[in-house]
Amino acid sequence: MGALSHIRVLDLSRVLAGPWCAQNLADLGADVIKVERPGVGDDTRHWGPPFAKDAAGNNTEESAYFICINRNKRSITVDIAKPEGQELIRKLTAESDVVIENYKVGDLAKYGLDYESLKKVRPDLVYCSITGFGQTGPYAHRPGYDFIIQGMGGFMSVTGEAHDFEGASPQKSGVAIADIFTGMYASTAILAAIIYRDHTGEGQYIDMSLLDTQVAVMANVSSAYLTSGEVPKRWGNASPIIVPYQTFPTSDGWMIVGAGNDGQYRHFVTAGGEAHLADNPLFISNPLRVEHRKQLIPLLEQMTRKKTKGEWIALLENANVPCGPINNFKEVFENEQVIHRGIQINAPHPTVGNMKLVASPMRMSKTPTEVRMAPPTLGQHTEEVLHERLKLDDHTIENLRAKGII
């Protein structure tokens, strides 16, 4: 039994932040019902290629994007723009603990599916709204996109090649970090609200904003500005306060070296056959290496190019110098530690057959996470849920389908 096996979640969200939040709850055992538009579904179902292939090697309709954020959920299709569809959502809410949505501010109020409306049918409801800018403020009605939020929230101003590097420009993250972090914070807020409800009997409303989250997760960078008043700069893969602490080229790829003290620096250059660099008066201490990084780094790069990535990792691990490879994803999933931890898993799927997934990283001794279901096909569980939750008979369900409600 999962830690949240007693919790029922109605997931009205789509794309990334909301579904990521709901998937976390589902991995912990919650029964998550994903509500999608009839015939269309979540936008991410169509975000491809790549699409998963069936046993014959043909593309299915299951996009890799949708797959990564919707495991352990049941999918139903409901047209919430129609009164009968809205009534189905209200009835499902009445026996749910949590509702998650990421519609534009005010959109669900038009359908009577906002928090104030739904708490009338479930007074202790935990209702989580996820938007780009939150429910209040001058930007509240703007649509929120991760890429834009990364720029507005300061992340891109400190990401990319160093500010003085020729041709350098701000860069976004390789994944939608504002969405992902907002989903994670939303999961935490929902769990806290459930605990509060269990103690007091009271539900509550949660207002999550991508911009709020992006600024918050800048952590020490935000703090450095507030403390000093100095605007942080881009440093690429280098550190502004430790040298060498960055990426280095090898003869067949890239590696990371994090020499956090003078001893580790000495071990690094000695392993590379350049021990004299440890005794050079310009580089003998970290403050001096920071001051003279422009002279030192080219010398270290000449050294690191003489060996392969694998040779360097073996040498530096033996010398107790913090290091690591920069792996492509083939190398990631072939890594012995990744294999040992069982991070890549398989689950049966009605069209794909054997679907490859990434496991939840939450490892719990008493209530472990598990993949109970692969990401659902569109509307796969509509009849099942309406039978089980609302006790609707076959005739009623067919009538709803004929009207385009489901």
Side-chain angles (χ1 to χ4, degrees):
M1 298 291 286
L4 300 181
S5 59
H6 61 299
I7 297 298
R8 291 175 167 180
V9 178
L10 196 59
D11 181 13
L12 303 179
S13 68
R14 62 266 192 237
V15 187
L16 183 50
W20 190 265
C21 167
Q23 181 173 263
N24 287 330
L25 303 178
D27 286 347
L28 292 166
D31 181 11
V32 176
I33 296 174
K34 181 176 180 66
V35 180
E36 302 187 69
R37 291 174 292 170
V40 179
D42 190 317
D43 292 343
T44 61
R45 286 188 180 274
H46 315 287
W47 286 7
F51 294 91
K53 299 182 183 298
D54 61 21
N58 301 311
N59 279 343
T60 67
E61 295 182 352
E62 314 306 317
S63 76
Y65 204 115
F66 181 87
I67 287 169
C68 79
I69 47 179
N70 287 291
R71 64 177 175 262
N72 285 333
K73 302 177 187 179
R74 296 194 283 175
S75 170
I76 68 171
T77 53
V78 178
D79 186 351
I80 67 169
K82 297 179 179 178
E84 289 169 281
Q86 296 158 18
E87 185 60 22
L88 287 177
I89 298 301
R90 279 189 281 272
K91 289 179 178 178
L92 286 169
T93 299
E95 46 84 62
S96 295
D97 301 283
V98 178
V99 168
I100 302 169
E101 63 90 8
N102 61 351
Y103 284 77
K104 293 179 183 177
V105 172
D107 273 10
L108 288 183
K110 296 183 297 186
Y111 305 129
L113 301 179
D114 57 316
Y115 174 62
E116 293 300 324
S117 299
L118 291 185
K119 75 174 183 179
K120 294 175 183 176
V121 301
R122 178 74 192 234
D124 64 349
L125 180 66
V126 173
Y127 189 110
C128 180
S129 294
I130 300 174
T131 58
F133 300 97
Q135 301 293 307
T136 61
Y139 294 175
H141 290 279
R142 290 188 184 184
Y145 294 93
D146 177 274
F147 191 178
I148 296 169
I149 298 298
Q150 287 190 39
M152 292 183 69
F155 176 84
M156 291 178 62
S157 75
V158 294
T159 304
E161 292 288 359
H163 64 281
D164 57 354
F165 188 88
E166 184 178 355
S169 66
Q171 295 290 318
K172 70 178 182 65
S173 170
V175 295
I177 59 165
D179 275 322
I180 295 292
F181 272 114
T182 303
M184 296 302 298
Y185 271 110
S187 302
T188 302
I190 288 169
L191 294 177
I194 289 171
I195 293 172
Y196 178 80
R197 184 203 63 179
D198 290 346
H199 281 290
T200 67
E202 298 178 1
Q204 62 181 294
Y205 181 73
I206 300 168
D207 172 10
M208 295 297 308
S209 155
L210 269 66
L211 181 60
D212 294 356
T213 299
Q214 182 64 85
V215 176
V217 300
M218 294 312 294
N220 60 294
V221 180
S222 292
S223 182
Y225 169 72
L226 293 175
T227 301
S228 68
E230 296 180 10
V231 176
K233 299 176 181 178
R234 293 192 311 276
W235 285 91
N237 290 320
S239 164
I241 57 174
I242 306 173
V243 174
Y245 195 94
Q246 63 184 77
T247 56
F248 285 98
T250 71
S251 64
D252 65 347
W254 291 83
M255 67 173 177
I256 301 166
V257 176
N261 58 50
D262 296 339
Q264 290 173 346
Y265 168 68
R266 178 175 292 275
H267 291 320
F268 174 35
V269 294
T270 300
E274 304 289 344
H276 66 95
L277 292 175
D279 296 317
N280 187 310
L282 295 180
F283 313 138
I284 202 165
S285 70
N286 183 68
L288 287 170
R289 292 193 295 275
V290 170
E291 181 181 351
H292 300 291
R293 75 167 71 225
K294 288 187 176 181
Q295 295 100 306
L296 175 60
I297 297 305
L299 298 175
L300 295 179
E301 289 179 340
Q302 289 178 17
M303 178 185 77
T304 60
R305 286 192 175 97
K306 295 177 182 178
K307 302 182 190 299
T308 67
K309 181 169 63 174
E311 288 171 337
W312 269 114
I313 298 302
L315 277 173
L316 296 182
E317 286 184 346
N318 188 58
N320 293 317
V321 177
C323 64
I326 297 178
N327 291 332
N328 62 38
F329 277 91
K330 182 176 185 295
E331 293 168 320
V332 168
F333 286 102
E334 291 176 349
N335 180 272
E336 58 185 353
Q337 181 67 15
V338 172
I339 292 171
H340 174 81
R341 297 287 288 179
I343 294 173
Q344 190 255 297
I345 56 177
N346 301 307
H349 186 274
T351 61
V352 175
N354 185 41
M355 180 175 279
K356 296 179 180 179
L357 301 171
V358 176
S360 169
M362 294 180 281
R363 305 299 173 101
M364 304 172 71
S365 64
K366 296 295 184 182
T367 54
T369 62
E370 62 177 343
V371 174
R372 305 181 303 282
M373 295 176 287
T377 57
L378 179 60
Q380 179 180 343
H381 305 97
T382 301
E383 292 187 13
E384 174 183 299
V385 169
L386 296 181
H387 277 309
E388 171 194 316
R389 292 288 190 86
L390 304 186
K391 311 302 181 187
L392 301 186
D393 58 32
D394 291 340
H395 175 74
T396 302
I397 292 174
E398 283 307 312
N399 187 43
L400 289 169
R401 195 179 300 280
K403 292 179 178 180
I405 307 300
I406 60 175

